[in-house]
Amino acid sequence: MGRLIGILLVIWLVIGAFAAFQRGYFDDTDTNCSEVSDIALNIVAGPLNYTGVNPKVTCTDIDAPEPSS
């Protein structure tokens, strides 16, 4: 039973990676927090991407404190 679940999980993630590829997420080399999050979320959403789910993530860049001089 565990082997079947593992196989289904791998298939799910492969379908999700293919959906992210079709949306062109892997084409852009200039990435930011939002793009990386969108890629990961699309891979995890897997086959749901083909049912109209379009997961998006918005990130707010947190300003890091400046080092003291």
Side-chain angles (χ1 to χ4, degrees), residues 5-62:
I5 292 172
I7 291 171
L8 291 175
L9 179 64
V10 168
I11 292 171
W12 182 275
L13 294 175
V14 167
I15 292 171
F18 185 69
F21 172 75
Q22 283 183 321
R23 293 177 183 210
Y25 286 133
F26 299 122
D27 295 340
D28 189 13
T29 58
D30 182 31
T31 58
N32 58 31
C33 170
S34 182
E35 289 179 15
V36 171
S37 300
D38 285 345
I39 292 169
L41 191 56
N42 273 281
I43 291 173
V44 171
L48 296 177
N49 290 304
Y50 295 108
T51 63
V53 174
N54 188 15
K56 293 282 184 186
V57 176
T58 56
C59 295
T60 55
D61 291 330
I62 300 171

